[in-house]
Amino acid sequence: MLDLRQLRYFVAVAETEHVGRAAEQLHISQSPLSRQIAQLEKDLGLTLFERDRQRIRLTSDGRVFLGETRALLTHAGRLENLGRRLGRGEEGGLCVGYVPDAMHTGLLPAALRTLRTERPGIHVALYGQQSAEQFEGLRRRSLDIALVQEPPAEDDPDLCSALLLEDPLLLVLPEGHPLAQQPDLAPADLDGQPWIAVESSRDPAWRDTFVASCVALGFTPDITLDAAEPLTALGLVASGFGVALVQRSMVRGTAPGVAVRELPWHDGSARLWAAWHRTDLRPVVGEFRATVLDAAAA
């Protein structure tokens, strides 16, 4: 059984790379600290540090162990806080994971407004994370609900999901682009246009998938730049670097310097799912999930 105190000692030494400074931070003497680290290494059967006279450094295994230890201690802190709140008769907090689209579309803000109205005293912690990290958080119970760009596998034994919304993709062009004033745009009009591709997932083949979808519609984009998220793409379009497909919620009110056009022959959209653990531990989690689903329906 891992000792959380030893793990905290390990993190302090790893971050300072110095037993003396770590001991000062922890308000203990060096000898007990060194013994605790040595005992942890013995219990694990793992060398966590390389030692010399001047410095102590993490081994490659130690670096991996440090990342997982930080995650465990973070979750332990949340669990302790939840226990104390429940012990005081409170409902506990909510830990919500999300991707940027959950904010841009207004779905998460709407659900949070409802929550604050119905349960004004509840504490909410928000964590902006990629979908894979959120799924792991749900399994570890460090997250109560996840708002993600793709759902977990249908046969996942632990997680459930529901599609919240489909946000149509619109063509965004520089304001002075020749196509901006053209009444109807056909696929051929976009063939060879300089293009800013917006990364839509962590799939390594996302760029190839995007190009293939364009070719299937009848045009080949000349991708000159990649954008990690839609706001970056909008800025690049406004600067005249090319055109892009951006979801409707991101261009609501129209960003300065860009023109927005609908493409009736293009039915692509950015999707958002809610995911959660199959077993609800607290009623408030199920209630907030229902609030999120209602916000999507509205």
Side-chain angles (χ1 to χ4, degrees), residues 96-295:
V96 181
Y98 70 95
V99 292
D101 283 356
M103 288 293 188
H104 299 153
T105 58
L107 189 147
L108 180 55
L112 292 175
R113 282 195 298 271
T114 301
L115 177 69
R116 286 180 63 84
T117 299
E118 296 179 350
R119 298 180 180 274
I122 198 165
H123 173 72
V124 178
L126 300 175
Y127 300 93
Q129 298 174 331
Q130 295 297 324
S131 299
E133 294 176 88
Q134 293 190 55
F135 295 153
E136 188 60 28
L138 291 173
R139 292 189 176 92
R140 291 179 176 178
R141 298 295 197 170
S142 60
L143 289 180
D144 295 311
I145 189 168
L147 303 178
V148 291
Q149 290 170 312
E150 59 269 341
E154 290 186 9
D155 60 351
D156 191 296
D158 300 318
L159 307 182
C160 298
S161 64
L163 179 64
L164 296 175
L165 60 84
E166 296 186 76
D167 200 2
L169 295 174
L170 305 180
L171 181 69
V172 183
L173 312 94
E175 204 166 39
H177 195 284
L179 296 179
Q181 304 304 321
Q182 190 167 312
D184 296 306
L185 294 179
D189 295 321
L190 302 181
D191 196 47
Q193 287 288 334
W195 204 278
I196 299 156
V198 184
E199 183 175 353
S200 58
S201 73
R202 288 293 172 182
D203 179 0
W206 71 270
R207 209 170 185 267
D208 293 338
T209 302
F210 170 70
V211 172
S213 68
C214 293
V215 171
L217 288 169
F219 70 96
T220 302
D222 177 15
I223 298 176
T224 57
L225 289 170
D226 292 341
E229 43 81 33
L231 281 177
T232 299
L234 280 174
L236 293 171
V237 171
S239 300
F241 283 97
V243 303
L245 286 172
V246 175
Q247 51 263 52
R248 185 192 301 275
S249 62
M250 296 293 295
V251 295
R252 190 178 291 129
T254 310
V258 304
V260 182
R261 301 295 305 278
E262 292 191 14
L263 301 176
W265 41 267
H266 186 282
D267 60 358
S269 62
R271 296 181 176 184
L272 186 68
W273 276 265
W276 60 90
H277 201 282
R278 292 180 183 275
T279 304
D280 280 340
L281 297 181
R282 294 175 293 140
V284 68
V285 176
E287 292 170 13
F288 182 67
R289 183 174 68 244
T291 298
V292 170
L293 297 175
D294 289 344

